[in-house]
Amino acid sequence: RIGFVILAGEVDQYAASLPQILERLVDALRSTQADGAVVHHNVLLCFRILLLRVSPRSLASFWPVAISELMRILKLGHSPSVAPALVYPALRFLDLAILLQPEEFQVMQWAFMMGLTALINRGEEGGGELVSEGVSERRTDSDAIPDGDACPSGDVTDVTGDVTGDVLGDVTALGRPALWRVRVESRAELVEAARVVRAAARKMDSGGVGETDA
């Protein structure tokens, strides 16, 4: 409900209430029990809305909370016993932040990329298991794009998890986040999503088109 109200309002309409909003969000995260994945999804969704509806100059108190929570979730994601649905919302936030490139995020982006690489490497320890699951982010023209996030039609990853340069070039040109799924169900899907976010970050850093992420 908090996210909906902020999204429906004007930019900076609730900037003065940001400390109270953050307090409510942090309380929700710390009191998480049975519905942990659902709570993390909703809180990280609200984080993304704050990025869009609060101007950078008003987000000074937001970044320490966001960075701390993101680093904590990425670290949790290194363990195969942690539900992918718990970690994926953090990847979606990173995906949006990479696109918007706020100054406070740029300072810590290297640390997030290290976290993504560690998550990917841990996933690859399963070797052929990821390939055998045949995970591929694929969308046809008839597929609906959920939750407002977009991905161009065509392959985002092949069966080995390599991100295709054509898709990332299209994403950069359209100014859209690279991840379009609302949620993931498996560890393999989570690792593929981490690959896509890491490749998008590298493309933004290089400013090039057609680069691939191996």
Side-chain angles (χ1 to χ4, degrees):
R1 290 195 297 266
I2 293 174
F4 178 79
V5 170
I6 297 171
L7 186 62
E10 301 292 332
V11 172
D12 277 344
Q13 181 174 342
Y14 298 99
S17 302
L18 186 57
Q20 290 78 19
I21 293 171
L22 291 175
E23 184 178 356
R24 291 287 300 275
L25 295 177
V26 170
D27 287 345
L29 289 171
R30 298 297 176 258
S31 62
T32 296
Q33 294 180 355
D35 295 327
V38 174
V39 172
H40 276 79
H41 172 87
N42 290 335
V43 170
L44 270 295
L45 173 60
C46 197
F47 278 11
R48 284 157 51 207
I49 291 172
L50 289 172
L51 273 187
L52 294 172
R53 304 305 289 169
V54 180
S55 62
R57 69 177 182 273
S58 300
L59 284 175
S61 61
F62 165 78
W63 283 108
V65 175
I67 289 172
S68 175
E69 186 61 23
L70 289 167
M71 295 300 294
R72 187 181 73 85
I73 294 175
L74 285 180
K75 187 174 182 179
L76 285 175
H78 298 168
S79 171
S81 63
V82 173
L86 193 68
V87 183
Y88 185 64
L91 300 188
R92 298 193 75 192
F93 179 92
L94 291 176
D95 185 26
L96 178 61
I98 287 166
L99 183 65
L100 299 177
Q101 285 292 296
E103 183 177 348
E104 294 83 354
F105 175 78
Q106 293 179 46
V107 173
M108 292 297 297
Q109 184 168 321
W110 64 272
F112 292 126
M113 294 307 102
M114 289 181 63
L116 287 175
T117 298
L119 191 157
I120 292 166
N121 290 342
R122 293 292 179 87
E124 288 175 342
E125 288 176 1
E129 184 177 327
L130 292 180
V131 178
S132 66
E133 290 189 25
V135 176
S136 177
E137 296 266 357
R138 182 181 297 272
R139 174 179 172 265
T140 64
D141 292 338
S142 61
D143 289 335
I145 298 175
D147 198 37
D149 283 355
C151 177
S153 60
D155 290 341
V156 172
T157 57
D158 61 25
V159 293
T160 64
D162 292 338
V163 180
T164 61
D166 288 344
V167 167
L168 286 179
D170 289 343
V171 168
T172 302
L174 292 170
R176 295 171 174 171
L179 298 178
W180 58 270
R181 290 186 177 187
V182 175
R183 61 185 60 85
V184 296
E185 303 295 337
S186 71
R187 180 76 179 176
E189 291 174 341
L190 179 67
V191 171
E192 296 303 327
R195 286 180 179 272
V196 170
V197 174
R198 186 178 66 173
R202 290 176 175 176
K203 180 163 292 293
M204 291 293 291
D205 287 342
S206 68
V209 177
E211 179 182 324
T212 60
D213 177 30

